[in-house]
Amino acid sequence: MKIVGLSGSKVGSKTRTAMEYTVKSVLKTYPDTEVTLIDLADCDVQFSDGRNYLEYEGDTGYVAQTIMEADAIIIGTPIFQASIPGTLKNVFDLLPVNAFRDKVVSILVTAGSAKHYLIAEQQLKPILAYMKAQIVQTFVFIEEKDFHRKEITNDDVFFRIDRLVEDTMVLTETYARIREAKEAEYGF
């Protein structure tokens, strides 16, 4: 099983910190899983210009193809100005409309305050649903106060991330079994 963790911003450290813990949680609990962490801060991703994602090269091609090859994606995003970052939206724009069909997608959000709690519900989930994702309904929301010196300091956050990982993995395995049963029964 291939899991991609996507840290969806070019600035800041909180989302990266949370995504690094998330990847460690996946590997600790599911050691046979192939996990790739893509941090957009480390990538030089071009703006989407409407071409097929397979035509992009360099970091842009790597990001798009790695996401397309994943069985599940855990998206980490900060909230800036009451919205997801443009860098994350650009990644979605690089991909085909059905990019997340047969993929489980879960969400981890970092934000300065609880005022931004519903951004994932109002902005991110509709995009993921449009792209045909099987969305893990609960998401992890981490506030500024849960960090100190680039470290997560709230044990409840660790618990919620571990639970998100479990939910993501269980749903991915379940949907895979359902698809296999349908293919065996109906031949498609």
Side-chain angles (χ1 to χ4, degrees):
M1 182 178 318
K2 292 182 181 180
I3 307 296
V4 170
L6 178 62
S7 185
S9 179
K10 286 200 145 304
V11 298
S13 63
K14 292 174 185 67
T15 303
R16 171 68 185 231
T17 298
M19 290 305 296
E20 286 173 347
Y21 177 80
T22 303
V23 167
K24 288 177 187 172
S25 179
V26 171
L27 292 171
K28 178 182 171 191
T29 312
Y30 303 90
D32 296 332
T33 302
E34 180 183 331
V35 184
T36 303
L37 177 59
I38 299 173
D39 185 353
L40 294 181
D42 297 333
C43 300
D44 184 21
V45 178
Q46 297 173 260
F47 282 109
S48 171
D49 60 16
R51 66 182 129 151
N52 186 301
Y53 76 95
L54 293 170
E55 295 175 20
Y56 288 97
E57 297 177 356
D59 287 347
T60 309
Y62 169 77
V63 169
Q65 290 179 32
T66 302
I67 290 170
M68 291 298 291
E69 293 169 0
D71 298 303
I73 303 152
I74 302 172
I75 296 173
T77 182
I79 302 300
F80 298 134
Q81 304 293 346
S83 183
I84 63 172
T87 51
L88 179 59
K89 177 62 168 77
N90 184 55
V91 169
F92 298 145
D93 292 342
L94 291 167
L95 303 172
V97 71
N98 295 329
F100 298 142
R101 177 171 282 149
D102 297 331
K103 296 182 193 312
V104 171
V105 180
S106 54
I107 304 168
L108 181 149
V109 176
T110 60
S113 76
K115 293 177 184 177
H116 300 301
Y117 182 78
L118 291 176
I119 299 299
E121 294 286 348
Q122 296 171 342
Q123 292 182 14
L124 197 49
K125 284 187 177 182
I127 294 167
L128 298 174
Y130 177 76
M131 296 178 79
K132 313 299 187 277
Q134 297 292 332
I135 303 168
V136 175
Q137 290 305 303
T138 56
F139 60 93
V140 175
F141 185 83
I142 310 172
E143 290 183 66
E144 178 91 25
K145 67 182 181 182
D146 297 320
F147 290 91
H148 182 69
R149 295 186 179 183
K150 298 184 180 185
E151 296 292 328
I152 297 170
T153 57
N154 183 339
D155 287 340
D156 185 58
V157 170
F158 293 124
F159 172 79
R160 289 183 283 133
I161 291 173
D162 291 341
R163 180 62 189 264
L164 182 75
V165 166
E166 181 182 353
D167 290 350
T168 302
M169 298 301 287
V170 167
L171 281 173
T172 303
E173 292 167 352
T174 301
Y175 285 127
R177 282 195 300 274
I178 291 169
R179 282 192 304 277
E180 289 169 7
K182 281 185 176 180
E183 289 170 7
E185 184 174 345
Y186 300 111
F188 58 85

